Amino acid sequence: MDIQQLFQLTRYAVDINNAVFAPKDVEWEEIYTFSKQQAITGVMFDMLMRMGGKETGIERRLFLRWFQLYNGIQKRNKLVNKYSVQIVQAFEERGFKCCLLKGQGNASMYHNPTARVSGDIDLLIIPKGLSALPKDLKKRRHKILNTVRKKFPKIPFRYHHVDFPIIKGLPIELHFIPCLMNNMLYNRRIQQWLGERAERQYDHRISLSDADGTVPVPTLEYNIVFQMAHMMHHFFDEGIGLRQMMDYYYLLRKVSNEESGIDRKGFGKTLKYLNLYRFSGAVMYVMREAFGMPEEWMIAPVDERRGKTLMAEILRGGNFGHYSGLTKHGTATKYVLKHWRNIQLALEYPTEALSEPIFRTWHFFWRLKNKK
């Protein structure tokens, strides 16, 4: 695949005002396959239609297959929007404060929200009377699990969330904390940082298309940190894909287009304090290369060395690393492969890379201890 041409197309896809680029000899079958692997099929089809649809030289068979997939993406987005509002309302009526993380909140920042490939419904929920600070984590988890287990008595849970499979075919995760980091010191810091700002999130509400009512979503400042930490954790776990990077592009574009009061250049101090600075530089490289993000939108200087490593992982592994081969192995083999992968990353991200196998081992025994 011609990577430079691919990035020309992804830049065109995120820039709705760009109506000039007319590529020649595009291998649309390869672009379609790549888009599926990266979970950006809907956005890329939107781009295809802006370029003239069938007039681009795409085969009719492929165009119809892509169009059918695009329709499915739009229908599912409307369904997820509807259920997101209903689930938020249900928990708020039962005495929980809520915030919808990622997902449909991110989609609302796209120029076509129904083109984003939807995923899980991730909901941060806080029982009333408790804070989102680390000191209340055990109490929060206990109350949330009590609520979930009235319907699902044997449902398993992880350190940061529990599944809530109340709607068939639509994964729902209830988060005790928004995200986590592998290193204990920085995990504590980010829980404190996010926890101190949690109250603002519950009242920051938006409307979702084809849904009656509103949902709380993170503020721009909160999202800058939360989503960066979320991406970094997945990068060290199994991998991260271009859809999450595209989400971040639209987030920083929204920050640049609004009177947000956020000092992007001054954000470096926060990123360093939370150990996100190196990874942020790598993400800014992807923002520039894949989406053509201008420097004035960026929250950290571009780090080409780490950025090339991150880009290689994205291109190789696809959405959440599903195409890297790592996720296809059993637990023991995966444990060894992840350990070897983190050794390779240790020179670029020593703290997080060396902490990952420690956290993973601790979490394994923590789950065994707390499975009841």
Side-chain angles (χ1 to χ4, degrees):
M1 182 184 295
D2 185 337
I3 298 300
Q4 292 308 312
Q5 186 182 78
L6 169 66
F7 288 159
Q8 281 183 303
L9 290 170
T10 54
R11 290 180 179 195
Y12 186 87
V14 297
D15 186 357
I16 195 170
N17 297 315
N18 187 342
V20 179
F21 175 59
K24 297 180 180 179
D25 303 320
V26 175
E27 293 292 337
W28 287 112
E29 190 76 51
E30 290 186 359
I31 298 299
Y32 174 77
T33 300
F34 175 83
S35 300
K36 286 189 70 176
Q37 291 175 346
Q38 299 291 340
I40 58 172
T41 329
V43 176
M44 296 299 278
F45 187 79
D46 247 10
M47 170 217 53
L48 177 63
M49 294 303 293
R50 291 208 317 276
M51 289 168 53
K54 297 177 184 178
E55 297 177 10
T56 59
I58 187 173
E59 291 184 9
R60 176 179 172 81
R61 171 189 56 82
L62 177 59
F63 179 83
L64 292 176
R65 191 194 329 160
W66 207 334
F67 178 67
Q68 184 179 26
L69 182 59
Y70 179 72
N71 278 340
I73 290 168
Q74 291 191 307
K75 289 178 181 177
R76 192 174 190 276
N77 267 304
K78 293 175 182 178
L79 186 68
V80 177
N81 284 349
K82 173 185 172 183
Y83 283 126
S84 294
V85 171
Q86 291 179 359
I87 291 164
V88 166
Q89 289 175 345
F91 276 104
E92 287 179 338
E93 289 170 1
R94 286 163 175 76
F96 291 91
K97 293 176 286 187
C98 304
C99 183
L100 187 66
L101 303 172
K102 307 186 298 311
Q104 302 313 99
N106 282 345
S108 70
M109 293 184 274
Y110 281 51
H111 58 258
N112 179 358
T114 62
R116 181 186 181 274
V117 175
S118 60
D120 303 348
I121 294 178
D122 292 272
L123 194 64
L124 174 66
I125 64 172
I126 308 295
K128 288 184 179 178
L130 295 177
S131 75
L133 295 169
K135 66 183 180 65
D136 283 339
L137 175 56
K138 289 184 179 180
K139 293 178 181 178
R140 292 200 306 270
R141 185 184 289 121
H142 178 72
K143 286 197 172 185
I144 294 167
L145 287 175
N146 280 349
T147 301
V148 172
R149 285 178 168 171
K150 288 177 182 177
K151 189 169 184 65
F152 305 104
K154 297 183 179 179
I155 197 78
F157 64 97
R158 302 173 69 86
Y159 176 73
H160 61 302
H161 71 76
V162 60
D163 292 332
F164 191 52
I166 195 168
I167 302 171
K168 187 176 181 181
L170 182 57
I172 300 170
E173 293 180 358
L174 304 181
H175 283 249
F176 317 125
I177 56 175
C179 60
L180 54 86
M181 298 180 72
N182 293 321
N183 181 272
M184 292 179 64
L185 170 63
Y186 294 112
N187 184 55
R188 178 79 182 187
R189 283 186 182 181
I190 200 164
Q191 302 314 326
Q192 188 71 26
W193 193 93
L194 294 172
E196 288 172 355
R197 291 157 180 79
E199 288 296 327
R200 305 176 207 168
Q201 318 310 313
Y202 311 134
D203 298 321
H204 182 242
R205 306 182 79 96
I206 63 169
S207 298
L208 300 177
S209 57
D210 299 287
D212 295 327
T214 62
V215 293
V217 297
T219 60
L220 297 177
E221 179 194 36
Y222 190 96
N223 249 338
I224 286 173
V225 169
F226 156 63
Q227 293 200 43
M228 185 64 74
H230 172 74
M231 289 191 296
M232 188 168 82
H233 180 75
H234 274 287
F235 175 65
F236 285 99
D237 185 16
E238 293 178 341
I240 197 75
L242 210 58
R243 182 185 65 170
Q244 289 70 37
M245 295 292 157
M246 189 174 285
D247 285 350
Y248 211 76
Y249 168 86
Y250 278 107
L251 170 62
L252 293 185
R253 188 185 75 161
K254 188 174 179 65
V255 171
S256 73
N257 290 344
E258 293 191 358
E259 294 297 326
S260 60
I262 295 175
D263 178 13
R264 288 184 299 277
K265 296 298 182 183
F267 231 83
K269 185 176 180 181
T270 300
L271 296 172
K272 288 176 182 176
Y273 176 72
L274 299 173
N275 198 36
L276 296 171
Y277 192 73
R278 292 188 182 95
F279 187 72
S280 296
V283 171
M284 293 307 105
Y285 174 85
V286 176
M287 295 295 109
R288 185 187 71 186
E289 297 299 309
F291 306 121
M293 177 178 283
E295 185 178 350
E296 58 266 26
W297 293 11
M298 296 185 179
I299 58 170
V302 169
D303 187 328
E304 291 208 11
R305 180 168 67 94
R306 293 183 175 90
K308 288 178 180 179
T309 300
L310 175 60
M311 184 72 84
E313 289 285 323
I314 290 170
L315 296 177
R316 181 175 68 92
N319 191 45
F320 289 129
H322 291 325
Y323 296 88
S324 66
L326 183 63
T327 59
K328 297 178 181 178
H329 296 284
T331 302
T333 304
K334 191 189 298 184
Y335 183 91
V336 174
L337 291 174
K338 280 187 177 182
H339 189 61
W340 171 243
R341 181 174 176 272
N342 281 290
I343 290 174
Q344 294 175 305
L345 293 171
L347 288 177
E348 295 184 356
Y349 305 97
T351 304
E352 201 68 6
L354 296 175
S355 298
E356 197 278 337
I358 298 172
F359 171 79
R360 187 157 25 97
T361 304
W362 172 85
H363 191 222
F364 174 78
F365 288 106
W366 182 89
R367 291 179 71 185
L368 287 180
K369 179 182 176 181
N370 293 278
K371 66 180 179 179
K372 293 185 179 181

